[in-house]
Amino acid sequence: MEAEPQKNLSFESFVINLSYSFSQFIEGNFQIFLSNQLNLLAKFLHATRAEIQFTNQRFPSISVGQFIETPNSLFRIVEEIKIKDKLVGEIIVFFQKEKDNFQEEHRAMRALAEMTSIQIVRRDIKQELRDERDLLNSIMESSPAAITVLDPSGNIIYANKASESILGISTDLITKRKYNAPQWRHTAIDGGPWPEEKHPFVIVSKTKAPVSDIRHAIIDAKGVVRYLSVSGSPILDDKKEIKYLVFIVTEISESIRRDKELAESEFKYRTIAENTQSIIYDISLVTGEVHWEGPIEEVLGYSQGEYSAFNLDAAYQFVHPEDRDRVVHYYENAIYSQKQSQLQIEYRYRTKSGNYLHMEDSSIIIYNINGEAIRAIGAMVNRTEKIQQEQKILERERNLRLAMDVSRLGFWKWDVHKNHIEWSPRVYEIYDLSEEEFQGSIDVMLSRIHPEDRESAYAPIEEMLKSKTNNRDYFFQYRIFDRQNRIRWVEGMGQFEFGPDNSPISLLGMVGDITERKRSEEALLASEKRFQSFYQFTKEAILIFRERDLKVVDVNQAFLHLFQYEKQDIFSIHFRRLISIRSFSEIQSLALDEEGKKSLEVVALKKGGSPFSAQVTAKRYRDQDENFIVFNIIDLSFLREVEELKKINEEILSRNRIIENQKMELQHAFDDLKKTQSQLIQSEKMALLGQLLAGIAHEINNPIGAIKASNLNLKEWKYKYQKCFEEFLKLKPQLTEEELNVFSNLREEAVLFGDFFTGLLDAKLKKQNLEYLLSQGIPQNMAKRISFDFVEMGLSDVSKFPIDFFKSKHIISLMDFIMWEVIYQRNTKTISTAIDRVSKILYALKNYSHFEKSERKELISIHDNLEIVFTIYQNHFKKGVELVKNYQEIPPIWCYPDDLLHIWSNLIFNSFQAMKFSGSIQVSTFVNNGYVFVSIIDNGPGILPEHLPKIFDPFFTTKKLGEGTGLGLDIVRKVVEKHKGRIQVFSEPGRTEFQISLPISDQV
């Protein structure tokens, strides 16, 4: 329907008809403005009335500017009011009559319509800005992040409420600061300096571009470090210049701390994985992927790269088939039942080589908020060695129980608080009591002890109970009475257990019947008395001396009488002063006789050096880890005179017979000269070989004797070490980590680097260590024991080790264990050295004994050929002859090696005899003019000038009858000539040299 003008309108009227839908935007001020404009327009058009109307009626479909006659005979012109092409109202002008031209009216109406539209739009925009401002203020005040606004100079002109909690100060103080105020105390995240050019304000000011997540830290007035993340953007004016800068600041302190904790956890995780023997794994139970860390290659044989390719399903395949179902069921039950999150299981696991290890697997299952297992973290530890050790320990325990049964030892335990004793069945047998008689009463036990021993048996226990000392060990030995009132001996040991207040709570130990041993000791004491009676009253001289330093330790009265010494003088005398030099070298082999069945005639020396003949029988024995030798000496002076006369007569008769025989065989000797000469040469060779064998036999006996002695020691060691080792296993859990470390170092030092001290050095070291231990507060008896064992183990300075270790209540047991390992090391080393020595002698003897005629030369080393002879004569070189080698580099030569052995052995043995087996031999080699020269020089008395031209003549000798044939040097000369070489001799008192030159080339 069309809007009709009000009836009070006359002549020309204006009406602005607006839609009710826009009336909500029309406030009082706008209505006043619109009315003023309407009135102005009415005056311009000479209208009598103008007003504004609101209607819900639809606007009529009339074209703009169309002139229409109304039923009231009024004419109407309409102009539309639009906003964004939407009709929101109209201006209607009513006229009483039609005019020819309404252009001015139309322009005025159009201007009013446009002005009305503009005012409505402007008002709408203002309302929207007010709404947006209110929304922004609400957001900024309720935002958990700090929002700040800065001007281009860096002054903070606005900060929201959240800024106070994030920046640590009130908004009033914030807006009084600039971005770079020193009170902020800016730092980098890691605590280092933070350059100003990295500040978000500087960056945005320079780039006029937004920034995001720039991280740094500030330190507030309380010293609290606040980690911040800053994002910001500039606000530009029409000239694209910065008007304001807006920054959003969030505190990330908790995130940074979590990151640091995560990094530390990751570092610890990797450190554990790299340094422990555990294989660490992290399994995703969703994807089945596994992350592996740790000593994978060392334990399983796979490289890190190889093993990283294995997922959970592949890992299950490495489990032993017999264990696999159990392991899978165990984990699946834990994952799906949600009954447990910490798991531990043992199983066998295959390595790359195909072997299986015993693994202990400990893990944790992690569940999400829905209770679903999503992750498993754990470690696998190789327990193979531990299981093997446990099996060995079980075996040793079985052996220990068997040994205890065999040794017939009994076990007991005394409860100190209850005053009650528990015994094993064997103890009842030892004390000859029944269970009904005993009933755990200590009084019954004490009644069985001999009255004289009762106080000494119980006194140490009472002392420990009263003083509450930390001494755990209790040793006892006393007599008891059995049912028949017979005396029996028992011996045992115990160890106290202490409570938290350091008071003893129990004493447990073992006991054994030593009656038979005591009877043996008494019989041995009686035997000792009988021996002393014989020892002192026999007419044969007896001498006892220590083997290692030849110091006399005891003699009997017959010895003092024979050698004319006083008792007080004899202990300062060295054994060498009692025997002549020559006899001393001979008597050494006699001292090695273990059975004492061999005897030897020697030249003994009385006080003042007077010699006399004596027959010596020797026997070797060992006491307290020392070797001693007993000599039984019989004076043969009067017998020697008779034997000398008899020998002279026999020699005269022998020479007469020789002369007669020589007369009869003189004719035949001339005809068979060459044949006889050849036989004599062979005889000389065999005689020399016989001389060598005498020394070799002795040289072999020495290492064989050492092997035998060491073998006996090892037999004894096996039983005692096993017992000591089992005791150590029981003791080990009681030791602290520091005690174990010191024990390990002491054990390694003694076994690997221990020395062997003798004589004065041994006593000096023991004394020094004893004084040091006493100065550190260790009791006298304990200090003596420790200093003695320490030096016996081959160690010199006890102060190098922590003194607290030697104050340990377990020190004696620990040092006993180390001592038995040292004994084992020394005996095995002795056997090894002896075997090497025998092998070397046998090799040399084999080469030397291969003494046969050969017509073919061989290419050999002169040095190797000489060494064979030196090995054969090693016994003489050790006893008094010094060998000096001066070798130069020489080539091998073509020769008859067996013949050369005869050259060296003859010349060297001649030197021995010339020096009377005491002196120096120098062997030199060098090359000159195509020849190899071998020079053998001794420092003997030399060869007389008148003998020099004859020494190479057959049968010429300066030795006594029967000591030589005179063919040795003749054979040497012939062997040298056979090699087309040359032999020369140079002699003067104190120096004799034989020089042999042999051609290098076989063509010479």
Side-chain angles (χ1 to χ4, degrees), residues 17-44:
N17 192 26
L18 297 176
S19 169
Y20 278 132
S21 61
F22 280 86
S23 65
Q24 57 181 319
F25 298 107
I26 308 303
E27 296 180 351
N29 292 334
F30 182 68
Q31 289 183 10
I32 293 172
F33 167 79
L34 202 56
S35 296
N36 292 335
Q37 295 299 319
L38 186 61
N39 291 328
L40 289 174
L41 183 60
K43 290 179 180 181
F44 177 74

PDB file of all heavy atoms in Angstrom, residues 17-44:
ATOM      1  N   ASN A  17      10.010   9.010   5.058  1.00  0.00           N
ATOM      2  CA  ASN A  17       9.416   7.762   5.514  1.00  0.00           C
ATOM      3  C   ASN A  17      10.521   6.695   5.590  1.00  0.00           C
ATOM      4  O   ASN A  17      11.088   6.298   4.564  1.00  0.00           O
ATOM      5  CB  ASN A  17       8.329   7.337   4.516  1.00  0.00           C
ATOM      6  CG  ASN A  17       7.485   6.214   5.097  1.00  0.00           C
ATOM      7  OD1 ASN A  17       7.384   6.101   6.309  1.00  0.00           O
ATOM      8  ND2 ASN A  17       6.881   5.424   4.241  1.00  0.00           N
ATOM      9  N   LEU A  18      10.874   6.259   6.812  1.00  0.00           N
ATOM     10  CA  LEU A  18      11.972   5.297   7.017  1.00  0.00           C
ATOM     11  C   LEU A  18      11.439   3.961   7.518  1.00  0.00           C
ATOM     12  O   LEU A  18      10.435   3.911   8.235  1.00  0.00           O
ATOM     13  CB  LEU A  18      12.990   5.840   8.023  1.00  0.00           C
ATOM     14  CG  LEU A  18      13.731   7.123   7.604  1.00  0.00           C
ATOM     15  CD1 LEU A  18      14.637   7.589   8.731  1.00  0.00           C
ATOM     16  CD2 LEU A  18      14.537   6.884   6.346  1.00  0.00           C
ATOM     17  N   SER A  19      12.172   2.926   7.184  1.00  0.00           N
ATOM     18  CA  SER A  19      11.808   1.567   7.631  1.00  0.00           C
ATOM     19  C   SER A  19      12.091   1.419   9.120  1.00  0.00           C
ATOM     20  O   SER A  19      13.078   1.933   9.643  1.00  0.00           O
ATOM     21  CB  SER A  19      12.622   0.540   6.848  1.00  0.00           C
ATOM     22  OG  SER A  19      12.472  -0.720   7.441  1.00  0.00           O
ATOM     23  N   TYR A  20      11.144   0.726   9.811  1.00  0.00           N
ATOM     24  CA  TYR A  20      11.355   0.454  11.241  1.00  0.00           C
ATOM     25  C   TYR A  20      12.620  -0.367  11.491  1.00  0.00           C
ATOM     26  O   TYR A  20      13.193  -0.323  12.564  1.00  0.00           O
ATOM     27  CB  TYR A  20      10.147  -0.289  11.811  1.00  0.00           C
ATOM     28  CG  TYR A  20       9.002   0.622  12.170  1.00  0.00           C
ATOM     29  CD1 TYR A  20       7.704   0.339  11.778  1.00  0.00           C
ATOM     30  CD2 TYR A  20       9.253   1.763  12.937  1.00  0.00           C
ATOM     31  CE1 TYR A  20       6.674   1.169  12.127  1.00  0.00           C
ATOM     32  CE2 TYR A  20       8.210   2.597  13.267  1.00  0.00           C
ATOM     33  CZ  TYR A  20       6.928   2.304  12.869  1.00  0.00           C
ATOM     34  OH  TYR A  20       5.905   3.143  13.199  1.00  0.00           O
ATOM     35  N   SER A  21      13.045  -1.093  10.466  1.00  0.00           N
ATOM     36  CA  SER A  21      14.226  -1.964  10.669  1.00  0.00           C
ATOM     37  C   SER A  21      15.479  -1.148  10.882  1.00  0.00           C
ATOM     38  O   SER A  21      16.458  -1.620  11.414  1.00  0.00           O
ATOM     39  CB  SER A  21      14.406  -2.885   9.461  1.00  0.00           C
ATOM     40  OG  SER A  21      14.614  -2.105   8.291  1.00  0.00           O
ATOM     41  N   PHE A  22      15.490   0.146  10.503  1.00  0.00           N
ATOM     42  CA  PHE A  22      16.661   1.003  10.722  1.00  0.00           C
ATOM     43  C   PHE A  22      16.430   1.986  11.860  1.00  0.00           C
ATOM     44  O   PHE A  22      17.296   2.798  12.128  1.00  0.00           O
ATOM     45  CB  PHE A  22      16.991   1.764   9.435  1.00  0.00           C
ATOM     46  CG  PHE A  22      17.733   0.940   8.451  1.00  0.00           C
ATOM     47  CD1 PHE A  22      17.045   0.124   7.559  1.00  0.00           C
ATOM     48  CD2 PHE A  22      19.121   0.959   8.430  1.00  0.00           C
ATOM     49  CE1 PHE A  22      17.725  -0.638   6.654  1.00  0.00           C
ATOM     50  CE2 PHE A  22      19.788   0.196   7.511  1.00  0.00           C
ATOM     51  CZ  PHE A  22      19.105  -0.617   6.612  1.00  0.00           C
ATOM     52  N   SER A  23      15.284   1.903  12.470  1.00  0.00           N
ATOM     53  CA  SER A  23      15.016   2.857  13.534  1.00  0.00           C
ATOM     54  C   SER A  23      15.942   2.670  14.729  1.00  0.00           C
ATOM     55  O   SER A  23      16.172   3.590  15.489  1.00  0.00           O
ATOM     56  CB  SER A  23      13.549   2.723  13.983  1.00  0.00           C
ATOM     57  OG  SER A  23      13.323   1.453  14.563  1.00  0.00           O
ATOM     58  N   GLN A  24      16.518   1.475  14.891  1.00  0.00           N
ATOM     59  CA  GLN A  24      17.407   1.221  16.029  1.00  0.00           C
ATOM     60  C   GLN A  24      18.698   2.034  15.910  1.00  0.00           C
ATOM     61  O   GLN A  24      19.386   2.265  16.884  1.00  0.00           O
ATOM     62  CB  GLN A  24      17.752  -0.269  16.110  1.00  0.00           C
ATOM     63  CG  GLN A  24      18.394  -0.812  14.827  1.00  0.00           C
ATOM     64  CD  GLN A  24      18.696  -2.294  14.927  1.00  0.00           C
ATOM     65  OE1 GLN A  24      19.148  -2.750  15.954  1.00  0.00           O
ATOM     66  NE2 GLN A  24      18.401  -3.021  13.866  1.00  0.00           N
ATOM     67  N   PHE A  25      19.041   2.476  14.680  1.00  0.00           N
ATOM     68  CA  PHE A  25      20.260   3.271  14.509  1.00  0.00           C
ATOM     69  C   PHE A  25      19.984   4.772  14.658  1.00  0.00           C
ATOM     70  O   PHE A  25      20.896   5.567  14.577  1.00  0.00           O
ATOM     71  CB  PHE A  25      20.875   3.013  13.126  1.00  0.00           C
ATOM     72  CG  PHE A  25      21.288   1.593  12.942  1.00  0.00           C
ATOM     73  CD1 PHE A  25      20.561   0.741  12.118  1.00  0.00           C
ATOM     74  CD2 PHE A  25      22.418   1.114  13.591  1.00  0.00           C
ATOM     75  CE1 PHE A  25      20.947  -0.556  11.948  1.00  0.00           C
ATOM     76  CE2 PHE A  25      22.804  -0.194  13.405  1.00  0.00           C
ATOM     77  CZ  PHE A  25      22.066  -1.035  12.588  1.00  0.00           C
ATOM     78  N   ILE A  26      18.722   5.142  14.747  1.00  0.00           N
ATOM     79  CA  ILE A  26      18.359   6.564  14.757  1.00  0.00           C
ATOM     80  C   ILE A  26      18.249   7.026  16.197  1.00  0.00           C
ATOM     81  O   ILE A  26      17.289   6.707  16.901  1.00  0.00           O
ATOM     82  CB  ILE A  26      17.028   6.803  14.020  1.00  0.00           C
ATOM     83  CG1 ILE A  26      17.065   6.179  12.629  1.00  0.00           C
ATOM     84  CG2 ILE A  26      16.732   8.309  13.930  1.00  0.00           C
ATOM     85  CD1 ILE A  26      18.203   6.694  11.781  1.00  0.00           C
ATOM     86  N   GLU A  27      19.313   7.664  16.658  1.00  0.00           N
ATOM     87  CA  GLU A  27      19.294   8.192  18.021  1.00  0.00           C
ATOM     88  C   GLU A  27      18.785   9.633  18.003  1.00  0.00           C
ATOM     89  O   GLU A  27      18.555  10.248  16.955  1.00  0.00           O
ATOM     90  CB  GLU A  27      20.708   8.104  18.599  1.00  0.00           C
ATOM     91  CG  GLU A  27      21.199   6.654  18.733  1.00  0.00           C
ATOM     92  CD  GLU A  27      22.593   6.621  19.300  1.00  0.00           C
ATOM     93  OE1 GLU A  27      23.233   7.679  19.433  1.00  0.00           O
ATOM     94  OE2 GLU A  27      23.058   5.489  19.600  1.00  0.00           O
ATOM     95  N   GLY A  28      18.711  10.242  19.182  1.00  0.00           N
ATOM     96  CA  GLY A  28      18.162  11.603  19.309  1.00  0.00           C
ATOM     97  C   GLY A  28      18.949  12.621  18.507  1.00  0.00           C
ATOM     98  O   GLY A  28      18.380  13.458  17.803  1.00  0.00           O
ATOM     99  N   ASN A  29      20.273  12.575  18.583  1.00  0.00           N
ATOM    100  CA  ASN A  29      21.106  13.556  17.876  1.00  0.00           C
ATOM    101  C   ASN A  29      20.888  13.461  16.359  1.00  0.00           C
ATOM    102  O   ASN A  29      20.861  14.467  15.648  1.00  0.00           O
ATOM    103  CB  ASN A  29      22.582  13.349  18.203  1.00  0.00           C
ATOM    104  CG  ASN A  29      22.881  13.695  19.664  1.00  0.00           C
ATOM    105  OD1 ASN A  29      22.149  14.514  20.255  1.00  0.00           O
ATOM    106  ND2 ASN A  29      23.918  13.103  20.209  1.00  0.00           N
ATOM    107  N   PHE A  30      20.780  12.215  15.911  1.00  0.00           N
ATOM    108  CA  PHE A  30      20.603  12.038  14.476  1.00  0.00           C
ATOM    109  C   PHE A  30      19.220  12.547  14.039  1.00  0.00           C
ATOM    110  O   PHE A  30      19.062  13.135  12.970  1.00  0.00           O
ATOM    111  CB  PHE A  30      20.793  10.580  14.106  1.00  0.00           C
ATOM    112  CG  PHE A  30      20.680  10.336  12.636  1.00  0.00           C
ATOM    113  CD1 PHE A  30      21.633  10.834  11.749  1.00  0.00           C
ATOM    114  CD2 PHE A  30      19.608   9.621  12.117  1.00  0.00           C
ATOM    115  CE1 PHE A  30      21.523  10.597  10.385  1.00  0.00           C
ATOM    116  CE2 PHE A  30      19.506   9.393  10.754  1.00  0.00           C
ATOM    117  CZ  PHE A  30      20.464   9.877   9.891  1.00  0.00           C
ATOM    118  N   GLN A  31      18.254  12.285  14.872  1.00  0.00           N
ATOM    119  CA  GLN A  31      16.910  12.766  14.539  1.00  0.00           C
ATOM    120  C   GLN A  31      16.878  14.302  14.470  1.00  0.00           C
ATOM    121  O   GLN A  31      16.232  14.907  13.601  1.00  0.00           O
ATOM    122  CB  GLN A  31      15.892  12.270  15.570  1.00  0.00           C
ATOM    123  CG  GLN A  31      15.613  10.781  15.485  1.00  0.00           C
ATOM    124  CD  GLN A  31      14.542  10.357  16.469  1.00  0.00           C
ATOM    125  OE1 GLN A  31      13.870  11.203  17.091  1.00  0.00           O
ATOM    126  NE2 GLN A  31      14.357   9.046  16.589  1.00  0.00           N
ATOM    127  N   ILE A  32      17.581  14.937  15.405  1.00  0.00           N
ATOM    128  CA  ILE A  32      17.642  16.414  15.393  1.00  0.00           C
ATOM    129  C   ILE A  32      18.306  16.882  14.114  1.00  0.00           C
ATOM    130  O   ILE A  32      17.831  17.832  13.443  1.00  0.00           O
ATOM    131  CB  ILE A  32      18.395  16.910  16.625  1.00  0.00           C
ATOM    132  CG1 ILE A  32      17.596  16.603  17.896  1.00  0.00           C
ATOM    133  CG2 ILE A  32      18.676  18.418  16.529  1.00  0.00           C
ATOM    134  CD1 ILE A  32      18.352  16.876  19.181  1.00  0.00           C
ATOM    135  N   PHE A  33      19.442  16.225  13.794  1.00  0.00           N
ATOM    136  CA  PHE A  33      20.142  16.600  12.568  1.00  0.00           C
ATOM    137  C   PHE A  33      19.223  16.448  11.350  1.00  0.00           C
ATOM    138  O   PHE A  33      19.130  17.325  10.491  1.00  0.00           O
ATOM    139  CB  PHE A  33      21.400  15.735  12.405  1.00  0.00           C
ATOM    140  CG  PHE A  33      22.000  15.819  11.044  1.00  0.00           C
ATOM    141  CD1 PHE A  33      22.796  16.912  10.673  1.00  0.00           C
ATOM    142  CD2 PHE A  33      21.779  14.802  10.104  1.00  0.00           C
ATOM    143  CE1 PHE A  33      23.337  16.977   9.405  1.00  0.00           C
ATOM    144  CE2 PHE A  33      22.338  14.880   8.847  1.00  0.00           C
ATOM    145  CZ  PHE A  33      23.125  15.971   8.482  1.00  0.00           C
ATOM    146  N   LEU A  34      18.520  15.304  11.290  1.00  0.00           N
ATOM    147  CA  LEU A  34      17.658  15.024  10.147  1.00  0.00           C
ATOM    148  C   LEU A  34      16.476  16.023  10.079  1.00  0.00           C
ATOM    149  O   LEU A  34      16.089  16.502   9.000  1.00  0.00           O
ATOM    150  CB  LEU A  34      17.139  13.589  10.244  1.00  0.00           C
ATOM    151  CG  LEU A  34      16.661  12.936   8.951  1.00  0.00           C
ATOM    152  CD1 LEU A  34      17.770  12.963   7.892  1.00  0.00           C
ATOM    153  CD2 LEU A  34      16.232  11.496   9.203  1.00  0.00           C
ATOM    154  N   SER A  35      15.934  16.371  11.216  1.00  0.00           N
ATOM    155  CA  SER A  35      14.812  17.343  11.244  1.00  0.00           C
ATOM    156  C   SER A  35      15.278  18.705  10.758  1.00  0.00           C
ATOM    157  O   SER A  35      14.573  19.399  10.010  1.00  0.00           O
ATOM    158  CB  SER A  35      14.249  17.455  12.665  1.00  0.00           C
ATOM    159  OG  SER A  35      13.692  16.247  13.066  1.00  0.00           O
ATOM    160  N   ASN A  36      16.490  19.142  11.181  1.00  0.00           N
ATOM    161  CA  ASN A  36      17.029  20.434  10.747  1.00  0.00           C
ATOM    162  C   ASN A  36      17.192  20.467   9.235  1.00  0.00           C
ATOM    163  O   ASN A  36      16.865  21.478   8.568  1.00  0.00           O
ATOM    164  CB  ASN A  36      18.354  20.723  11.432  1.00  0.00           C
ATOM    165  CG  ASN A  36      18.183  20.979  12.942  1.00  0.00           C
ATOM    166  OD1 ASN A  36      17.087  21.401  13.382  1.00  0.00           O
ATOM    167  ND2 ASN A  36      19.223  20.760  13.699  1.00  0.00           N
ATOM    168  N   GLN A  37      17.774  19.367   8.734  1.00  0.00           N
ATOM    169  CA  GLN A  37      17.975  19.323   7.288  1.00  0.00           C
ATOM    170  C   GLN A  37      16.638  19.337   6.546  1.00  0.00           C
ATOM    171  O   GLN A  37      16.489  19.957   5.494  1.00  0.00           O
ATOM    172  CB  GLN A  37      18.787  18.063   6.910  1.00  0.00           C
ATOM    173  CG  GLN A  37      20.203  18.041   7.443  1.00  0.00           C
ATOM    174  CD  GLN A  37      21.024  19.190   6.907  1.00  0.00           C
ATOM    175  OE1 GLN A  37      20.955  19.575   5.721  1.00  0.00           O
ATOM    176  NE2 GLN A  37      21.819  19.787   7.799  1.00  0.00           N
ATOM    177  N   LEU A  38      15.651  18.674   7.087  1.00  0.00           N
ATOM    178  CA  LEU A  38      14.316  18.593   6.455  1.00  0.00           C
ATOM    179  C   LEU A  38      13.652  19.972   6.463  1.00  0.00           C
ATOM    180  O   LEU A  38      13.026  20.386   5.469  1.00  0.00           O
ATOM    181  CB  LEU A  38      13.477  17.556   7.185  1.00  0.00           C
ATOM    182  CG  LEU A  38      12.102  17.251   6.575  1.00  0.00           C
ATOM    183  CD1 LEU A  38      12.257  16.687   5.153  1.00  0.00           C
ATOM    184  CD2 LEU A  38      11.361  16.232   7.443  1.00  0.00           C
ATOM    185  N   ASN A  39      13.792  20.675   7.554  1.00  0.00           N
ATOM    186  CA  ASN A  39      13.208  22.014   7.648  1.00  0.00           C
ATOM    187  C   ASN A  39      13.856  22.969   6.658  1.00  0.00           C
ATOM    188  O   ASN A  39      13.181  23.822   6.048  1.00  0.00           O
ATOM    189  CB  ASN A  39      13.314  22.558   9.067  1.00  0.00           C
ATOM    190  CG  ASN A  39      12.410  21.797  10.037  1.00  0.00           C
ATOM    191  OD1 ASN A  39      11.329  21.319   9.622  1.00  0.00           O
ATOM    192  ND2 ASN A  39      12.782  21.715  11.280  1.00  0.00           N
ATOM    193  N   LEU A  40      15.208  22.868   6.524  1.00  0.00           N
ATOM    194  CA  LEU A  40      15.902  23.709   5.554  1.00  0.00           C
ATOM    195  C   LEU A  40      15.364  23.438   4.141  1.00  0.00           C
ATOM    196  O   LEU A  40      15.158  24.360   3.345  1.00  0.00           O
ATOM    197  CB  LEU A  40      17.400  23.484   5.610  1.00  0.00           C
ATOM    198  CG  LEU A  40      18.117  24.025   6.863  1.00  0.00           C
ATOM    199  CD1 LEU A  40      19.580  23.597   6.841  1.00  0.00           C
ATOM    200  CD2 LEU A  40      18.011  25.552   6.906  1.00  0.00           C
ATOM    201  N   LEU A  41      15.191  22.139   3.853  1.00  0.00           N
ATOM    202  CA  LEU A  41      14.698  21.774   2.538  1.00  0.00           C
ATOM    203  C   LEU A  41      13.261  22.280   2.335  1.00  0.00           C
ATOM    204  O   LEU A  41      12.888  22.750   1.253  1.00  0.00           O
ATOM    205  CB  LEU A  41      14.750  20.259   2.356  1.00  0.00           C
ATOM    206  CG  LEU A  41      14.329  19.729   0.985  1.00  0.00           C
ATOM    207  CD1 LEU A  41      15.252  20.299  -0.127  1.00  0.00           C
ATOM    208  CD2 LEU A  41      14.398  18.203   0.951  1.00  0.00           C
ATOM    209  N   ALA A  42      12.470  22.237   3.391  1.00  0.00           N
ATOM    210  CA  ALA A  42      11.063  22.693   3.299  1.00  0.00           C
ATOM    211  C   ALA A  42      11.018  24.178   3.000  1.00  0.00           C
ATOM    212  O   ALA A  42      10.225  24.665   2.185  1.00  0.00           O
ATOM    213  CB  ALA A  42      10.339  22.369   4.595  1.00  0.00           C
ATOM    214  N   LYS A  43      11.892  24.943   3.681  1.00  0.00           N
ATOM    215  CA  LYS A  43      11.935  26.377   3.416  1.00  0.00           C
ATOM    216  C   LYS A  43      12.366  26.638   1.987  1.00  0.00           C
ATOM    217  O   LYS A  43      11.879  27.571   1.327  1.00  0.00           O
ATOM    218  CB  LYS A  43      12.889  27.057   4.373  1.00  0.00           C
ATOM    219  CG  LYS A  43      12.380  27.091   5.795  1.00  0.00           C
ATOM    220  CD  LYS A  43      13.399  27.755   6.718  1.00  0.00           C
ATOM    221  CE  LYS A  43      12.877  27.785   8.150  1.00  0.00           C
ATOM    222  NZ  LYS A  43      13.839  28.459   9.059  1.00  0.00           N
ATOM    223  N   PHE A  44      13.328  25.826   1.515  1.00  0.00           N
ATOM    224  CA  PHE A  44      13.821  26.042   0.155  1.00  0.00           C
ATOM    225  C   PHE A  44      12.708  25.802  -0.866  1.00  0.00           C
ATOM    226  O   PHE A  44      12.612  26.504  -1.874  1.00  0.00           O
ATOM    227  CB  PHE A  44      15.009  25.080  -0.108  1.00  0.00           C
ATOM    228  CG  PHE A  44      15.532  25.164  -1.501  1.00  0.00           C
ATOM    229  CD1 PHE A  44      16.303  26.244  -1.926  1.00  0.00           C
ATOM    230  CD2 PHE A  44      15.223  24.158  -2.431  1.00  0.00           C
ATOM    231  CE1 PHE A  44      16.779  26.284  -3.226  1.00  0.00           C
ATOM    232  CE2 PHE A  44      15.709  24.221  -3.719  1.00  0.00           C
ATOM    233  CZ  PHE A  44      16.498  25.289  -4.126  1.00  0.00           C
TER     234      PHE A  44
END
